Each structure stands twice: as structure tokens, then as C-alpha cells.
Amino acid sequence: TSIAYFPPASFMSYYSAIIHVTSCLSSSGEIVVNEVSFVRKCIGADSSHGDLWGKLICTNFKVSFITHDALPMQRFQVANRLLGEHDVPLACVEQVVTVNDAKGKQKVLCSNQKLKFNPTELILYCKDFRIIRFRFDEAGPQSAKKVCLAIAHYSQPADPQLLFGFEYIGKQYYGSLGERVNGVDPGGGLQMPLFDRPSEWDREIKRTGAAEWRVCSINEGYVVSPSLPEYFVVPVSLADQDLKQYLCFFTAHRIPVSGQPLKKQQLLLNKSLSRCFRQNSLDRLICSAITKSHPQRSDVLKSDLDKNLPNIQDIQAAFVKVRQICVIEPFEESEEKWLSSMESSRWLEYVRAFLKHSAEVVYLLEGKHVSVILQEEEDRDLSCVVSSLVQLMLDPHFRSLTGFQSLVQKEWVMAGHRFLDRCNHLKKNDKEESPLFQLFLDCVWQIINQYPAAFEFTETYLTVLSDSMWIPVFSTFLFNCPQQRTENSMDFAKSKCIPVGEEKALRFPPVWDWSQQFTPKDQALFNNPMYVGKGATCVQNGAVKSFRRTKKNYSSTLRGMPSSLRNILMDGHDSLTLTRRNSLVSRLKPDFSQIREVVESPTERFFRDWVSRPADLQGMLIPQLLPSHLALWRLYFLRWVPEASIPKGGPVTAYHKLSQLADEVEKLQSQLRQYKGATPASTLTSTPSAPPSDHSRMYFKAGSTHEPSSTPEYLSSSFPFSPVGNMCRRSILGTPLSKFLNGAKIWLSTETLANEAL
């Protein structure tokens, strides 16, 4: 009778799909741990209409649901090459909740726990904000219980080497003799630096013109500090012997390293903290070296990030509250209450705090022409955010796709940001978990939202980059530092007898090799059609020329005001709200004349002068920081919420039109080049009917029958994601889900349920 749920054709396709998936597992190190048939995946909010029937599989990599049924309106969905349409990586599972309707029981499953009842329902709460529900009404009770326990166990590995990435790399890239399988070199074909060798640091020094800096290799083999990279940049005048002499006085032996000698000015953004007994002598030594490296021999100022910015626990608490508001609580509440709840979470307040502090550092570097030392306990958390944002605001190179990726690689991965702990991949210590990288991406999105033509990449790229943190095969987000990656991969290779040849350790692919996840077609969603880079082209007198925009080509929209007018660096309440240029129409206070009399500080004057000029998208960018200028990153936080999805609406509608327009411009430029280089006879036949280029950077193409000029029906504000099947949060046991999840750690309160006799 169970087979009756599948028509004969569907039944055969269903099992052939399972056989296909199973046959592909061994080649990549993936194995099936447990599985259960005749499972229903919940789609609808209040009924079973539209639910999918299939098999639920737990592997050592993911939770997979295999079905022959198709979801409605899914033609547009981006397909990840590592994941199926209904797959969830185990690293993305935040909590596993089992429910028994008949007994009125529910339990949060942890690793190696027992389950004393047969579950009728499984709920997966995911780190990317999804809530996925499965029903076991027709499934075997023991099989259902086993697959739930397997998911709970394998989603909480006890050791880094139990993360799937180790099995994946060992099987995918290394043969029996230690040679690269099929000649594959993980990350070797990338056109961007990984900063794991001196030559790449040398090229960065040359790119910035920082002649007074050099590559330091005293940490080669990680002999000085396990959390620093093997190679980094220091002032030329700072000798290796001096660094070695004083390294014992620094936290975790993390001697001062350069975040970035900035282009042209050759100013230093230095990340360090010397919490030691010889603070004064060390400060003099370091500051003297930094001063000598500056072309103007200017002063060195310090910025204590621990005192001026929220700590990692505050950031985590704010993130949890935002998740509660966006995903768990009823979305139908009034707009005023929802916005009030969002404000009380303090997430946007913290986003603004980091942007504001970074803008202040920009002033010191650009306005006062001094060097800045960012001080933090271990300089591996807050300093990663600030140093990256400062460089993003000052150097247009980092607003290109390749440049941005090299920025993250340099300032986060190689600098030793503790991704393993902050992502809580091992579920060991919730106090160490903190979404610093997500906060950084939100800050970047705020700047993109204000200056969309200044960035080569899109918010889809930022969202996919964040999601990649939960696919545990990339070196980028798996470890606390490069040394940890090397040590664990060497131990794993020895324990599994994997020959690695001369490399001594397994090489994990970086996330920047996007071909491992997406087709070239889907990667086109990363490209911004509005981007104005150095290579922007125009047509003058029939000739295609590259040019760089001048200030007169840019919008003259205001970007802030000096602090005497509650400006970009304001820290009090709004005195006024600015809309467009020369428009001061909102909420002017009666004592406005007194505000004008306030003596203007150099900082205020610097930002006022910058505000008075049109923005140069290839120059310095400073974000507007009035509360009204910052917005919730809807695509990231609300993409799975059905009530928040706007059919044929949202930013994607503009993206669709602009992409088609940019694609048409590219085709016309290509035809013009062909025309310029063609003979008169061939021009008549080749130019007018020249086939469209297949190398367009745009996802949506112009003049295609498959891409209508009007907004396609399948587009929504969640594009290219879909809430269907990814957000199911209906009531449980007659109790609203928001009330059921009210006590909380992150999703469910384990303490609240611990006293139940299960």
C-alpha cells in the first residue's frame, strides 16, 4: 500500500535517482549513514497540499531529500553543484528537533543522545535561516528514529578532522600515489592571490607602491606564532631580530603585522596589540618603524577597538534577536511593532558602529595623513572588520570581484580569523560563536546599497558567499588559522594513509573557485551591470575607447553632513533628515541657528568638504550613517519568508532590466569592433546578423526569446532563492511556533525541554 503514493513512472524515476545519488557518493568521500523512505516534506503553511513525498537520507556531508515531485515556480533557482535542490549541509544545521504528536512531546537532539519516543516529525533549524520540516506518518518508526539520531550526531562533529571537507579532499584530489587526480590543483587556477607565498605579497606591495615595506618570513613553518600566516608585511626598518626579540610579549605571539600599506599615500593600516609589561618600549620601537615607512614621516595614532566597538557576545546576541524577529515570530504583526522589534535587536546599531568607526579611521588616514594602529586583544575579530572596511572605502581595487576576494583572503583567512570557533562548526562552545563575517558582509551591503555603481559584485554574491560558510569543503571558512589547516590535514593524511607527495599536507580548495559550486551561467548573477570600473568603455566618434569617469559624470546626491548638523559621525538623536541635495525639509529644530554657531572640528570639516563634492566611484567612498540611511538586508534576512516575498518586485526587477541593457550594449560594442575591423564586402553580411556573443557577463540576456523584456513571472524579491520548501513554521501541537521557541538560546531552549520525561 505504501507504493501507491507513487505512480509507476514516478516510482521508477524516484529509485533511479536514489541509485544515481548513491553511486556518486564514493567518488567524493560521501557515504550514506542512514535513510528512511516514504517521508513527506512539508511545503504548505497550514495544510499538506503541495507537500512532497520521497526518501530522507543522512550522509556524512548533508541531509538529502530525494523526490520525483517538482516544486512550483522553480525554473529560475540556482543549482549548486555540491548540493541538490532539497539538500542541507550538516554544517548548516543549527538544531535538530523531533516531535511526537500522539504523546505531545518534543526534544532537541544533541550528539550521542537517546530518543525514547518514535518521532512523527523532524524540524531542522538552519544557520542560513531556513526552517525545514519532515513528516513520518507513513515511514517506518524505527527507521525514522535512526535517521533523526544520525542527523543529530553527524551535524555535531567532535573534532575538526570529522568535518566532511577532509574526506572530500582526500578522495577528490589525491590518487593512490599522491599525484593530483586528473591534474587538479585546488585553487591553482585562480586569478587572485591567496597570500600563502612571498611572491603574492610582493605583488601587493608593488600594486600599492609601498616601497618602504617588505615581506617578512620569520614565521615560516609557523615557528613564531601558530595563528599568524607564514608571510606578512612589515616596515623595512623593522628588523627580523627585533621582531623575534619581542614576540614573547604579545598575545599568542602575534607580533604587529600590516593590514595594508595604502595605495599612493603609502599609509599604514596596522593590526596589532601589545598587551605586555614592556608596553612603552615596544610602542616606541613599532611606532618609529611605522613613522619611517611613511612618506611624510607623520605621526602614528592608536585605535582601541575593544573600548570603542561592541564585543563578540553583543554581536551574537543581536544576531540571534534578528533571526527571532525575521524567521520565528509572526510576520503579520504591524509595521510599527516589527520595526520597533528590529531596532531593539541593536543589529543595525552595531552595523552602523563599525561603519562609523571605519569612517573615522579613513579620516585619520586620508585627512590627517597619519598611520593608524588598530588594537585588539588578539587582533583576529573586530580588527578584521574595521581594516577590511577601511580598505574598501579607500581603495577601489577592493570593490572589484577579484579585489574583494583578495581582501577577505588577506584580512580574514591569512590574518587568522577564527572561523572554526566563530561559526561554531563543532558545536562545542556557544560563547565563542559570533557572526562577525556576516556583520562585515552586511556593512559591505550597506555601502553597495548607497553606491551601487561602485562595486563589480552584487548582493547575490555576498549572500552566496555567506552561505558558503556552511559548506565544509573550502579552506576559507573551516579553520581558525592557516597553521591549524596544515596541522590537521597532515594528521588526517597520515591516519588515512593518503600520500600527498611533496606537499606534506592536503590542499583544500578555497571558496573563490566558484566553478566548484556554480555553472558559468549562474556565476553571472555575481556581476553588477551598473559597475563603473577602470575598464569602463564608451564610444567616441565611432571608436570604442576605455575611459575613467570624472567627477562630473557622477550623481550629486548628498552623502552626509558634518557632526554639527548631526552628520555622518553623529552619536546623538537626529536633528534633521536629509533627502536629496539642497533639501533640508524634514524636522528642523528651532535652535538650528545655534547649531550653526558651533565651532567646526577638523573631522567635521573633512567630511563636509567631501560631502560637498560629487562622489568619485573610483576614489574614496564614505557611507551615509544617519539611521534613515541604513536598511535591513532583505535578501539575506528575509529571502525564505513567504510573507516578505514580493512577486515581480524588489531590486531584482531593476537588475533584470539593467542586465538586459548592459548585455545589449556589450553586443553592440562587439558588433562595432567587428565593423571597424571588417572589409566593406564582409561588413554587409557579418555585422547586421552577427550572432550574439556567448561570453556576456550578464545573467539576463537582451533580445532572447527565453528572456522577455517584461519582468518574468517567476521573479520575486527573494530571487534567486525561493521560500517554497525552505520555510515551514506552522503551529506545533496547537501552540504557535513563536511561543514554543520563546525561551532561547538560539532556536529552542534545551534547558526548557530538559525536565520533560522523554
Side-chain angles (χ1 to χ4, degrees):
T1 56
S2 297
I3 296 178
Y5 285 106
F6 300 93
S10 300
F11 182 83
M12 295 304 297
S13 299
Y14 166 73
Y15 273 100
S16 65
I18 294 175
I19 293 171
H20 173 71
V21 170
T22 306
S23 66
C24 293
L25 297 180
S26 59
S27 63
S28 61
E30 187 176 7
I31 59 173
V32 173
V33 176
N34 224 306
E35 59 186 46
V36 56
S37 300
F38 309 114
V39 176
R40 177 160 56 92
K41 182 178 181 181
C42 300
I43 301 298
D46 300 311
S47 69
S48 60
H49 179 71
D51 289 356
L52 306 179
W53 289 91
K55 172 176 277 195
L56 184 63
I57 301 173
C58 175
T59 76
N60 58 340
F61 170 42
K62 63 181 183 287
V63 179
S64 185
F65 182 73
I66 307 298
T67 180
H68 181 69
D69 301 331
L71 286 172
M73 303 296 288
Q74 294 295 291
R75 180 164 65 90
F76 66 86
Q77 188 165 350
V78 173
N80 193 305
R81 286 173 164 174
L82 298 176
L83 299 169
E85 186 177 13
H86 302 281
D87 291 352
V88 179
L90 290 168
C92 188
V93 176
E94 181 74 38
Q95 284 190 336
V96 180
V97 180
T98 52
V99 179
N100 183 288
D101 293 334
K103 295 184 178 181
K105 293 183 177 181
Q106 58 275 324
K107 184 174 183 178
V108 179
L109 286 181
C110 298
S111 181
N112 297 321
Q113 274 192 334
K114 293 182 179 180
L115 184 60
K116 296 182 180 179
F117 62 81
N118 292 327
T120 58
E121 186 171 334
L122 170 67
I123 312 174
L124 300 181
Y125 295 92
C126 305
K127 293 184 177 181
D128 61 1
F129 286 29
R130 285 183 289 173
I131 301 178
I132 302 175
R133 300 173 68 242
F134 300 98
R135 296 286 303 180
F136 303 122
D137 302 294
E138 304 297 330
Q142 289 301 315
S143 297
K145 178 189 289 188
K146 288 179 180 178
V147 81
C148 291
L149 291 171
I151 293 171
H153 177 74
Y154 280 87
S155 64
Q156 303 176 56
D159 186 86
Q161 293 180 32
L162 295 177
L163 293 166
F164 174 69
F166 286 89
E167 292 286 351
Y168 177 80
I169 298 306
K171 295 286 187 179
Q172 188 82 355
Y173 293 109
Y174 293 89
S176 59
L177 300 177
E179 78 280 6
R180 292 285 172 76
V181 177
N182 298 325
V184 173
D185 182 1
L190 291 178
Q191 301 299 316
M192 57 160 286
L194 296 178
F195 296 103
D196 57 355
R197 57 194 67 181
S199 59
E200 293 176 333
W201 286 103
D202 278 328
R203 283 195 292 270
E204 184 68 2
I205 290 175
K206 292 178 181 178
R207 185 189 72 82
T208 58
E212 296 299 321
W213 296 83
R214 67 178 179 88
V215 180
C216 179
S217 59
I218 65 170
N219 197 40
E220 197 167 37
Y222 308 103
V223 296
V224 168
S225 173
S227 62
L228 283 177
E230 291 188 279
Y231 312 101
F232 47 86
V233 175
V234 297
V236 169
S237 60
L238 200 58
D240 286 353
Q241 57 265 30
D242 292 331
L243 293 172
K244 293 178 180 179
Q245 180 181 355
Y246 292 108
L247 66 90
C248 61
F249 297 111
F250 291 90
T251 303
H253 289 185
R254 288 182 64 87
I255 55 182
V257 298
S258 169
Q260 175 68 29
L262 295 174
K263 197 170 184 179
K264 295 183 179 179
Q265 295 90 350
Q266 297 183 355
L267 303 175
L268 168 70
L269 178 60
N270 191 53
K271 306 192 314 178
S272 69
L273 178 63
S274 49
R275 301 283 194 203
C276 61
F277 300 107
R278 303 182 63 178
Q279 179 81 42
N280 292 334
S281 60
L282 278 176
D283 282 353
R284 286 194 295 270
L285 173 69
I286 295 169
C287 291
S288 174
I290 295 173
T291 299
K292 292 177 182 177
S293 70
H294 196 288
Q296 300 177 6
R297 300 296 191 265
S298 62
D299 295 333
V300 178
L301 300 181
K302 298 178 185 177
S303 175
D304 194 329
L305 303 184
D306 292 322
K307 291 181 179 179
N308 298 321
L309 291 170
N311 58 42
I312 62 171
Q313 290 81 17
D314 293 336
I315 295 170
Q316 171 68 2
F319 191 71
V320 169
K321 290 178 182 177
V322 170
R323 178 158 55 188
Q324 180 82 10
I325 295 165
C326 292
V327 178
I328 302 299
E329 294 180 353
F331 200 79
E332 296 81 6
E333 295 177 344
S334 66
E335 180 181 358
E336 292 78 9
K337 185 175 181 180
W338 195 86
L339 293 174
S340 176
S341 299
M342 186 60 63
E343 182 180 5
S344 66
S345 73
R346 307 190 71 180
W347 176 258
L348 285 177
E349 176 186 334
Y350 294 158
V351 169
R352 179 178 175 273
F354 277 88
L355 287 169
K356 174 179 179 291
H357 194 86
S358 302
E360 291 171 341
V361 174
V362 167
Y363 160 69
L364 295 175
L365 293 168
E366 186 76 8
K368 298 191 69 174
H369 300 289
V370 300
S371 298
V372 178
I373 294 178
L374 302 179
Q375 291 193 157
E376 188 188 4
E377 183 65 32
E378 274 194 271
D379 73 273
R380 302 171 70 180
D381 289 314
L382 310 183
S383 58
C384 295
V385 181
V386 175
S387 63
S388 300
L389 289 175
V390 169
Q391 294 172 65
L392 199 70
M393 294 178 189
L394 284 174
D395 192 341
H397 168 69
F398 295 123
R399 298 172 214 150
S400 67
L401 182 60
T402 300
F404 181 79
Q405 294 180 163
S406 68
L407 177 68
V408 174
Q409 182 71 22
K410 174 169 62 75
E411 294 300 320
W412 292 80
V413 181
M414 301 310 293
H417 178 67
R418 297 195 293 174
F419 279 108
L420 182 69
D421 294 341
R422 298 297 177 250
C423 295
N424 204 10
H425 285 315
L426 303 183
K427 313 287 196 308
K428 281 187 175 181
N429 190 346
D430 293 336
K431 294 182 179 179
E432 293 293 323
E433 184 175 2
S434 187
L436 285 160
F437 191 67
Q438 288 95 326
L439 181 135
F440 164 67
L441 295 181
D442 200 330
C443 291
V444 175
W445 178 83
Q446 300 291 342
I447 306 176
I448 291 178
N449 196 39
Q450 296 180 23
Y451 305 99
F455 292 82
E456 187 179 14
F457 47 90
T458 62
E459 65 171 332
T460 297
Y461 166 80
L462 295 179
T463 307
V464 168
L465 178 58
S466 178
D467 290 346
S468 299
M469 297 173 68
W470 317 122
I471 302 179
V473 300
F474 306 113
S475 61
T476 313
F477 303 123
L478 271 188
F479 305 99
N480 287 334
C481 58
Q483 185 271 345
Q484 186 186 51
R485 179 191 68 225
T486 301
E487 181 180 12
N488 277 275
S489 64
M490 289 176 62
D491 293 344
F492 181 82
K494 291 179 181 178
S495 67
K496 298 293 185 178
C497 298
I498 301 174
V500 293
E502 299 178 354
E503 293 181 340
K504 299 181 181 179
L506 300 176
R507 287 197 63 188
F508 288 76
V511 72
W512 318 123
D513 183 5
W514 292 107
S515 63
Q516 298 209 29
Q517 292 193 66
F518 304 105
T519 64
K521 163 71 174 175
D522 288 341
Q523 290 181 57
L525 283 169
F526 299 169
N527 299 326
N528 178 13
M530 293 184 288
Y531 177 57
V532 179
K534 291 183 178 179
T537 58
C538 67
V539 179
Q540 293 181 354
N541 298 325
V544 180
K545 298 180 179 180
S546 295
F547 73 103
R548 180 170 176 174
R549 294 257 188 179
T550 58
K551 292 178 182 178
K552 66 180 181 180
N553 295 102
Y554 294 101
S555 168
S556 57
T557 305
L558 279 178
R559 296 175 300 284
M561 290 291 287
S563 60
S564 57
L565 297 178
R566 296 292 189 259
N567 75 333
I568 190 171
L569 300 178
M570 70 171 212
D571 53 8
H573 300 288
D574 296 351
S575 293
L576 53 88
T577 299
L578 300 179
T579 53
R580 292 186 175 273
R581 185 181 184 186
N582 300 326
S583 175
L584 306 177
V585 295
S586 303
R587 300 208 306 271
L588 296 179
K589 287 191 174 181
D591 58 350
F592 182 72
S593 59
Q594 297 180 9
I595 297 178
R596 285 182 173 177
E597 297 174 1
V598 174
V599 177
E600 191 176 51
S601 69
T603 307
E604 296 162 356
R605 189 179 309 112
F606 173 80
F607 287 110
R608 176 178 57 79
D609 292 343
W610 185 82
V611 164
S612 65
R613 300 190 300 268
D616 179 1
L617 301 187
Q618 284 297 306
M620 179 179 67
L621 290 182
I622 300 177
Q624 306 175 75
L625 293 179
L626 287 169
S628 58
H629 293 140
L630 301 184
L632 180 71
W633 185 7
R634 290 178 55 91
L635 185 64
Y636 179 78
F637 289 105
L638 300 177
R639 56 185 155 149
W640 311 121
V641 180
E643 301 91 336
S645 182
I646 307 172
K648 300 179 66 174
V652 69
T653 56
Y655 178 79
H656 171 252
K657 295 290 186 183
L658 289 168
S659 296
Q660 290 185 320
L661 183 60
D663 181 64
E664 186 172 4
V665 170
E666 287 183 10
K667 290 176 180 176
L668 290 173
Q669 290 174 343
S670 176
Q671 291 177 2
L672 184 58
R673 292 189 185 95
Q674 293 177 17
Y675 181 85
K676 292 284 291 183
T679 61
S682 62
T683 299
L684 296 176
T685 57
S686 63
T687 304
S689 59
S693 173
D694 293 331
H695 304 288
S696 172
R697 296 176 63 254
M698 296 299 108
Y699 183 82
F700 296 106
K701 305 295 192 293
S704 171
T705 57
H706 301 288
E707 301 292 347
S709 57
S710 60
T711 304
E713 292 291 333
Y714 59 81
L715 286 187
S716 74
S717 57
S718 298
F719 181 87
F721 309 96
S722 172
V724 180
N726 291 312
M727 177 57 63
C728 201
R729 50 178 184 176
R730 62 182 172 181
S731 300
I732 296 180
L733 308 178
T735 303
L737 190 58
S738 59
K739 304 297 183 186
F740 177 61
L741 302 179
N742 199 20
K745 172 187 161 242
I746 293 182
W747 290 106
L748 289 174
S749 172
T750 305
E751 294 77 11
T752 301
L753 304 177
N755 297 326
E756 298 189 19
L758 300 178

